[in-house]
Amino acid sequence: DTGVSQDPRHKITKRGQNVTFRCDPISEHNRLYWYRQTLGQGPEFLTYFQNEAQLEKSRLLSDRFSAERPKGSFSTLEIQRTEQGDSAMYLCASSLSGREVAGYTFGSGTRLTVV
Amino acid sequence: TQLLEQSPQFLSIQEGENLTVYCNSSSVFSSLQWYRQEPGEGPVLLVTVVTGGEVKKLKRLTFQFGDARKDSSLHITAAQPGDTGLYLCAGTNTGNQFYFGTGTSLTVIP
């Protein structure tokens, strides 16, 4: 297993466009998390899945954001009608439920720039 | 919402010096983790602490969980340039998701 993969690594988009990011977690991990991080700050929790079920969404996740994990494996995060304030690093992480002490394994992130 | 406040926010020290980073909250956590993040990469787990008063050592790094499980500290002895990075604490009280602190950016100057 090569760890958590995120695609693309970088995305530049014009304001108002839609973007979609993909995350492939570690295969045996049943939990998948999305975080957003701005420069020099800690990651902010957006949402998480256990298998295919989305169990929690942050109030930060506006109606323009939607996440899916249709088969309990990879996940996508879509942002509709992007705004400049959406510019950030979007991090995906995975873990195994009941093994939280082992921590999250993070991907390298997708850096979004909205111009 | 950042439930965990870290201090200092920025720290620039000379190689060989010691330093301590603090992570404070008004909430009680069932477990707390420390991560280190390098530019352009995701955070990497350093340690997990689960018991109030627990102390863990990882080479030159010493982690302590407060007795009341509301705060934690990270002490680095004889810092090296390779220690440069963003240090993040993260806590949970449900075991479902961790909330991250505000981060401490450390620069160790050779």
Side-chain angles (χ1 to χ4, degrees), chain B residues 3-103:
Chain B
L3 304 176
L4 290 155
E5 292 289 333
Q6 289 183 236
S7 61
Q9 185 177 1
F10 298 98
L11 191 54
S12 182
I13 62 171
Q14 294 290 328
E15 181 176 1
E17 292 183 349
N18 301 334
L19 67 115
T20 301
V21 176
Y22 299 94
C23 173
N24 295 292
S25 175
S26 58
S27 301
V28 175
F29 295 101
S30 58
S31 64
L32 191 141
Q33 298 180 334
W34 284 92
Y35 290 78
R36 185 167 74 99
Q37 185 178 21
E38 297 189 13
E41 299 297 327
V44 175
L45 180 70
L46 296 174
V47 77
T48 301
V49 285
V50 297
T51 305
E54 182 177 4
V55 176
K56 281 192 173 179
K57 292 192 174 184
L58 184 66
K59 297 183 180 178
R60 294 176 294 101
L61 279 59
T62 302
F63 305 86
Q64 184 161 9
F65 200 11
D67 291 342
R69 291 185 285 122
K70 292 183 178 181
D71 55 87
S72 181
S73 63
L74 158 60
H75 182 80
I76 301 178
T77 303
Q80 298 177 1
D83 295 327
T84 293
L86 180 68
Y87 287 81
L88 298 160
C89 63
T92 184
N93 53 16
T94 65
N96 292 328
Q97 76 278 8
F98 280 80
Y99 290 95
F100 281 80
T102 48

Side-chain angles (χ1 to χ4, degrees), chain A residues 9 35 37 56 100-101 104 108, chain B residues 33 37 40-41 48 95 98:
Chain A
R9 288 293 308 270
Y35 284 83
Q37 184 178 30
E56 187 165 343
E100 285 74 23
V101 293
Y104 295 171
S108 298
Chain B
Q33 298 180 334
Q37 185 178 21
E41 299 297 327
T48 301
F98 280 80

Side-chain angles (χ1 to χ4, degrees), chain A residues 37-51:
Chain A
Q37 184 178 30
T38 52
L39 197 61
Q41 297 295 308
E44 294 178 301
F45 171 75
L46 294 178
T47 188
Y48 90 95
F49 294 83
Q50 181 156 314
N51 301 312

Side-chain angles (χ1 to χ4, degrees), chain A residues 7 20 27 35 39 58-59 69 102 112:
Chain A
D7 183 68
T20 300
S27 56
Y35 284 83
L39 197 61
S58 165
R59 287 188 293 269
R69 195 183 183 197
L112 173 67

